[in-house]
Amino acid sequence: MTEIEISADLIRDLLQDQHPDLAGLPLREVEGGWGNQMWRLGDELAVRIQRMDTDPEHQLKERRWLPMLAPRLPLPVPVPVRSGVPSERFPKLWTVMTWVPGLPLDRGSITRGEHAADTLAAFLRALHVPAPADAPVDTGRGAQPKDRTEGFEHFLHSVDADAIGSDAADVRAVWDDAVAASAWEGPPVWVHGDLHPANVVVAEGTLAGVVDFGDLFVGDPASDLAAAWVLLPAGATARFFAAYAEADEATVRRARGLAAMKSLFLMLMGQNGERGLPGGKPAWGPAGRAALDRVLSERLPG
């Protein structure tokens, strides 16, 4: 099937056909987005439309669960308000959601590290609670490090050796320690599953919202706790874990290993962007290298 160009005219036609009361609102494309594209709709809404993502489950999960989760989360998250169904004009899903104000962290910065650490900890404490029996199960992102070694090795060997430099042995030691840590033994809890600089927004120097819950699942919270190194500036990790206050030593070790892997992923995406490869993100390379430096330099709390 030929890829359909996602344009303002297409979005306007889809709205006119399925939600005509919204079709007259101002519409503008939001920079970024690979699996799904975002279009700002008026001041308070956005259209999230499948682009490269061919799995409808991502948007279906957001439609079902975000309205339930959002009221008890202490940061704004996108809440689905209208559903777009596949049609002859466009055979994939699209959803009208509330707009989360702020600048994506991959295009912004956190200058209030302690405030951001406390904010992220409060958000994850509120999210990481036992979920209903019919909640979505882990699809791989939140697996124990010992079950994700293939992915770690792929990233480690795909990133240019000179970008990692003399840190390669230390990175592997962090991963090996995460693999050796005991598995999660608590109840399966809600996990965002994909916290990285493009999936959080910042304002006034601190975290102001969390977006893209397409990988939402229940399982081990360690994959979210990796954000302490991936998102927060240098020196904020210990503050985060003190505020979160619910992670045992093994969970912190798993989280640190997963943070190392996420850092390598960001570096690879940056490398791909520099080479003009599809889906590459040039700005993610420096963010990934900075995150890896934090993983290697910041001591475990406790």
Side-chain angles (χ1 to χ4, degrees):
M1 184 181 70
T2 303
E3 187 67 29
I4 298 174
E5 180 187 0
I6 298 175
S7 64
D9 288 341
L10 172 65
I11 303 293
R12 187 90 53 202
D13 288 349
L14 295 175
L15 288 168
Q16 186 63 51
D17 182 48
Q18 299 186 31
H19 300 287
D21 59 312
L22 302 179
L25 292 173
L27 186 66
R28 60 187 185 276
E29 185 177 358
V30 177
E31 183 181 342
W34 174 247
N36 293 273
Q37 225 174 13
M38 294 288 287
W39 290 74
R40 187 85 179 267
L41 182 63
D43 292 331
E44 299 179 355
L45 299 174
V47 176
R48 180 164 163 82
I49 185 166
Q50 283 187 289
R51 185 171 174 239
M52 303 306 293
D53 187 3
T54 59
D55 186 356
E57 285 304 311
H58 294 149
Q59 287 203 28
L60 293 175
K61 277 196 291 187
E62 292 182 327
R63 290 180 186 180
R64 179 172 183 188
W65 298 106
L66 282 178
M68 182 198 78
L69 291 171
R72 59 180 178 77
L73 296 175
L75 284 175
V77 300
V79 179
V81 295
R82 302 283 185 91
S83 296
V85 299
S87 64
E88 190 173 322
R89 182 77 169 87
F90 186 74
K92 300 180 184 179
L93 287 184
W94 53 280
T95 306
V96 179
M97 315 183 82
T98 56
W99 174 253
V100 179
L103 189 67
L105 180 56
D106 62 341
R107 293 190 284 119
S109 62
I110 292 174
T111 56
R112 299 161 60 197
E114 290 188 352
H115 187 280
D118 291 345
T119 301
L120 180 62
F123 177 84
L124 292 180
R125 276 203 319 270
L127 177 63
H128 292 166
V129 296
D134 58 344
V137 297
D138 174 20
T139 55
R141 285 187 185 270
Q144 306 291 333
K146 64 183 177 62
D147 298 322
R148 300 189 68 183
T149 293
E150 183 177 343
F152 170 80
E153 295 289 347
H154 168 72
F155 294 139
L156 184 64
H157 290 104
S158 297
V159 175
D160 286 345
D162 60 355
I164 301 174
S166 60
D167 291 325
D170 290 336
V171 174
R172 186 173 294 282
V174 169
W175 182 255
D176 289 345
D177 183 63
V179 170
S182 60
W184 173 247
E185 296 177 353
V189 298
W190 283 113
V191 179
H192 178 281
D194 196 22
L195 290 176
H196 62 68
N199 286 344
V200 298
V201 298
V202 294
E204 299 180 352
T206 190
L207 287 174
V210 178
V211 299
D212 194 348
F213 284 75
D215 288 303
L216 183 72
F217 64 87
V218 295
D220 179 1
S223 62
D224 280 357
L225 299 178
W229 292 274
V230 174
L231 301 180
L232 298 175
T237 305
R239 172 78 174 233
F240 166 83
F241 279 104
Y244 183 80
E246 296 175 2
D248 60 21
E249 180 189 6
T251 299
V252 175
R253 291 166 61 195
R254 294 194 308 277
R256 189 173 181 230
L258 294 171
M261 184 167 73
K262 181 71 80 171
S263 301
L264 294 172
F265 162 75
L266 293 172
M267 292 171 69
L268 179 59
M269 292 293 285
Q271 179 177 295
N272 289 345
E274 291 173 356
R275 296 173 181 175
L277 298 176
K281 306 285 186 181
W284 288 16
R289 179 64 241 197
L292 190 64
D293 288 342
R294 294 190 291 268
V295 169
L296 296 178
S297 65
E298 301 204 9
R299 299 177 60 172
L300 295 177

